[in-house]
Amino acid sequence: MYHNPVLLAECLEGLAIRPDGVYVDVTFGGGGHSKAILAQLGEKGRLFAFDQDPDARANAEAIDDKRLTFAEATFRLLQTYLRVYGVKQVDGILGDLGVSSHQFDTPERGFSTRFEANLDMRMNPRGGVSARDIVNGYSAEELHRIFGMYGELQNAKTAALAVVAARANGPLETVNDLTASLQRCVPRGKENKYFAQVFQALRIEVNDEMGALQDFLTQSAEVLKVKGRLVVMSYHSLEDRLVKNFIGKGKFYGEVEKDLFGNDLNPLLSVTRKPIEASNCVLPKNCKSSRSSYNSHQQNI
C-alpha cells in the first residue's frame, strides 16, 4: 500500500497545469501525484512518469489512460527518455524525493530498522551495489565519509571503526547484524534517530542519490519551456541544500555566476519566497520534514 501523496494541492498549484500541456512526474511511486495531474489535463495533455522501482510499473499499468507514458527508469535519465518519445520541452516537472512509505514498509527491501531483513536498500533491486556490499566492502575511511557526509553522525569515525571490527568476525548480512555492530556507538535515548541517520547514509550511497539529484535538476532546467514550472519535494537537509542552491544560483556550490553585463546566469526563477512546508500530514518514517519549492523556467538572453 503506497502512502497518500504529500503536499498534493500545493504541488498542483505550483505546477500551474495547463490542460493541453506536457508534464513529467519523475517519482511515480503509487501514482498519487500522477493521477491528480491527469485529472487536470485535457484530451491533448500528456504526462510522462518515471520510476526505477519495479513495483511502480504495476501501479502505472493499472491506470488505463492513453495520455500517460511510463518509463521504468531513474530520473537521472530524464532527458534521454523524453528524447526517445520525441519530446524536447515540457511545461512542468514534479519530483518527490527520497523513499516512499511503501518501500519503508516492505521488509525485504531492507530500508527500515523496524524489520529484520537482508541489507539491501536498492531503489532498483535488479542491479547495482547493495547496503550489504558497502558495509562489508568499504574501508573504514570510506564508511567514515558516508556516515559523516550523508548521515551527519557526530561520531562517524567511531561508527565506521565499529562496523569494520564487527565484520572481522563474519560478514554483516542483515539489519540486526548492522544495528548490533553499532550498539556501543549509539547515544542513550537516541537509538531511533541514530539508526535512521545510519540507514539514510547507506541508502544515499547505495543509490547515488545526490549525484542523481544533480543530474535531474540540471536536465530539468534544460527541458523546461520558458515559464515552465519545476516543483521539488525534499525530505532532508542534503537534498534541500542542493535544490535551493540550484534554484537560487543555477549551480550546486559557490556563488551565482554573471554575464558580462552583470546579469545572473541562472535558468530558474523562484516563484515562492521560501519553501512550503507540510503540516498536519503523515510523513514516511525516517523522514525529517517535507519541503516543496516552486520554480519557473526563465530564458536568459
Side-chain angles (χ1 to χ4, degrees):
M1 193 69 186
Y2 275 79
H3 67 278
N4 292 325
V6 176
L7 289 167
L8 180 59
E10 292 85 350
C11 288
L12 296 177
E13 179 184 353
L15 286 172
I17 295 172
R18 295 173 47 245
D20 60 346
V22 179
Y23 294 87
V24 185
D25 179 355
V26 298
T27 45
F28 181 82
H33 286 110
S34 284
K35 291 176 185 176
I37 293 171
L38 287 168
Q40 294 197 15
L41 289 179
E43 292 185 5
K44 295 183 179 180
R46 297 181 69 186
L47 174 64
F48 293 88
F50 286 70
D51 206 304
Q52 61 183 323
D53 192 317
D55 290 346
R57 172 170 283 280
N59 295 325
E61 291 174 346
I63 301 176
D64 183 17
D65 195 318
K66 63 182 181 180
R67 299 170 300 172
L68 172 65
T69 300
F70 179 78
E72 193 170 349
T74 170
F75 56 45
R76 73 191 313 167
L77 297 177
L78 169 67
Q79 203 164 21
T80 298
Y81 271 79
L82 288 178
R83 285 173 177 168
V84 168
Y85 296 115
V87 176
K88 294 182 179 180
Q89 290 191 307
V90 301
D91 295 283
I93 301 172
L94 171 65
D96 184 358
L97 307 179
V99 183
S100 71
S101 61
H102 169 75
Q103 290 168 321
F104 278 126
D105 293 339
T106 305
E108 60 268 25
R109 301 297 294 273
F111 282 109
S112 175
T113 60
R114 291 178 292 134
F115 309 106
E116 169 63 332
N118 290 329
L119 288 167
D120 193 329
M121 304 191 197
R122 291 173 295 175
M123 297 286 194
N124 180 354
R126 294 164 298 187
V129 299
S130 67
R132 179 193 179 280
D133 298 325
I134 290 173
V135 298
N136 290 293
Y138 274 28
S139 67
E141 291 75 16
E142 291 172 315
L143 290 172
H144 178 196
R145 173 183 63 81
I146 66 169
F147 287 158
M149 182 180 299
Y150 298 147
E152 300 180 297
L153 295 181
Q154 297 297 315
N155 61 351
K157 184 174 183 179
T158 302
L161 292 173
V163 169
V164 171
R167 76 189 189 197
N169 298 317
L172 306 181
E173 303 278 358
T174 68
V175 169
N176 285 351
D177 288 343
L178 176 59
T179 56
S181 74
L182 293 168
Q183 284 299 332
R184 294 184 179 180
C185 305
V186 183
R188 183 172 298 179
K190 297 184 178 180
E191 292 82 2
N192 290 339
K193 179 180 179 181
Y194 189 85
F195 287 125
Q197 289 174 285
V198 170
F199 274 55
Q200 173 180 290
L202 289 171
R203 191 198 78 226
I204 289 173
E205 180 72 8
V206 166
N207 299 288
D208 188 23
E209 292 181 27
M210 297 300 100
L213 177 56
Q214 291 183 54
D215 288 346
F216 158 61
L217 291 172
T218 300
Q219 293 175 46
S220 292
E222 294 173 356
V223 302
L224 277 173
K225 296 179 180 178
V226 174
K227 296 186 179 181
R229 293 291 187 96
L230 169 65
V231 177
V232 181
M233 283 175 284
S234 59
Y235 293 86
H236 58 74
S237 60
L238 300 174
E239 295 171 338
D240 198 44
R241 191 176 302 123
L242 288 179
V243 173
K244 287 194 297 186
N245 282 346
F246 189 73
I247 290 168
K249 303 174 183 178
K251 56 194 300 187
F252 301 106
Y253 307 100
E255 295 303 316
V256 64
E257 296 180 6
K258 298 180 181 293
D259 62 18
L260 294 175
F261 303 99
N263 300 309
D264 290 350
L265 294 174
N266 187 354
L268 298 175
L269 176 66
S270 183
V271 175
T272 57
R273 294 184 60 185
K274 60 181 181 178
I276 295 171
E277 297 189 2
S279 61
N280 299 323
C281 68
V282 178
L283 294 174
K285 290 180 186 273
N286 295 357
C287 289
K288 295 180 180 179
S289 65
S290 176
R291 296 158 63 87
S292 178
S293 296
Y294 306 160
N295 305 282
S296 177
H297 186 271
Q298 64 180 6
Q299 186 175 28
N300 290 316
I301 301 176

